[in-house]
Amino acid sequence: MLGHSEVVGFLFRLVRFRGLRDGLARHIEGCPACQRRLASREDARRVLFRVSDAGGLDALWPAVRQAIASGEGRPAAAEALAVRAPAPRTGWRWAAAAGGFAAACAVVFSLVRFFLSGPGPVQAGADRPDLFRLYSATIAGEPAQAIVVQERNPDMVIVWVERIL
Amino acid sequence: MDERETIAACLAGRGEEFRLIVDGYKSQAMALALNLLGNRQDAEDVCQEAFVQVFRHLNRYDPAKSFRTWLMTVLYRRALDVLKRKKRFRAAFQRVVHDPGQRLSEAFEPPAERRDLARIVQTRLSPKERAAVALWANEGLTSAEIAEVLGCTASTARVYLFNARRKIKLILEKRDVGAL
């Protein structure tokens, strides 16, 4: 026979309707029987890493400062706070920008048509900007076989190298 | 800690003042990162990245909101990125060779019992459940604040917290009767 706290807990995990779930949550928070089935803060701290465990971090600020100084972090506020003189409004600037954009579109369109039309020579090993290149692989001076795995994520290429026995 | 003056100083070009924020929050950040990632090397890397990212986006901080919550949100998302990268890598290979690299912190070791329990928590609780219960137990955040960090509704955050607390209770009960 299930107790009410088991039933409440089961329903709480099952329901998707927010109003009902919030009602169950309020019950759980105020019901001693339901609370007994849950870990208290003290219980949770027994199994978790605590703030007091995170000692010996004296080197963190130097590492952060170095990363910032190397350009990894630069508050954009420097630009946000800068006072710039407002640019004079002149209509010809907009016309020039629109004309330049139209010209750029025409150039791009022409290039696309040129490369898509006609057979054109297909060169073996033609350069593609997304191609990963591995020229050779050796292990301890011995020839090795390389397997390159390109994931769908373009930011990751996995290389497995095995000595040829 | 009132970060507003420090943030204003950083935005005005006195970046060294950011040290006050790093020193003020590094322990809390490290504790959360450890609970999410389970190992010191990754936790240190994520802490460093989170502070650098916070510094980079100081101009976006809303003074009406809690700075601590914002920092924890950034750190939580960086930690999730690390977990996703590792999951993808493990899916491709059976063994993962971990290069320890440079160490930031001196050696520190929580008591053996808590280390073992923390290891069990890493396997039994999902990252969101670990984050929810760590923020609740260590930082005293409410469900609404936890939801802000996790990027979900307060109702969903309560579910994560409920599941985490229930699982931890079961872990401790089994531990106490010697089943673990």
Side-chain angles (χ1 to χ4, degrees), chain A residues 13 21-22 35-36 39 41 45-47 49-50 53 56 59 65 68 72 75 77 81 153 158 160, chain B residues 11 16 35 55-56 88 93 104-106 108 114 118 136-138 155 158-159 162-163 165-166 169:
Chain A
R13 291 194 304 278
R21 189 193 284 176
D22 288 347
Q35 284 295 311
R36 275 196 292 275
R41 277 197 167 91
R45 289 193 194 109
R46 280 179 61 189
V47 304
F49 290 103
R50 304 173 197 170
D53 292 330
R65 181 175 56 187
I68 292 170
E72 284 184 43
L81 288 176
N153 178 1
I158 302 171
W160 175 272
Chain B
L11 292 174
E16 283 288 324
N35 283 310
F55 180 82
R56 185 187 302 157
R88 283 200 300 266
F93 292 96
L104 280 177
S105 70
E106 299 156 14
F108 68 92
R114 196 138 45 82
W136 172 75
N138 283 338
S155 182
R158 282 195 204 99
V159 176
F162 175 87
N163 286 337
R165 291 176 65 191
R166 186 176 58 87
K169 184 73 171 180

Side-chain angles (χ1 to χ4, degrees), chain B residues 4 61-67 148:
Chain B
R4 283 173 288 186
Y61 168 61
D62 181 0
K65 296 190 177 175
S66 163
F67 180 84
E148 200 177 324

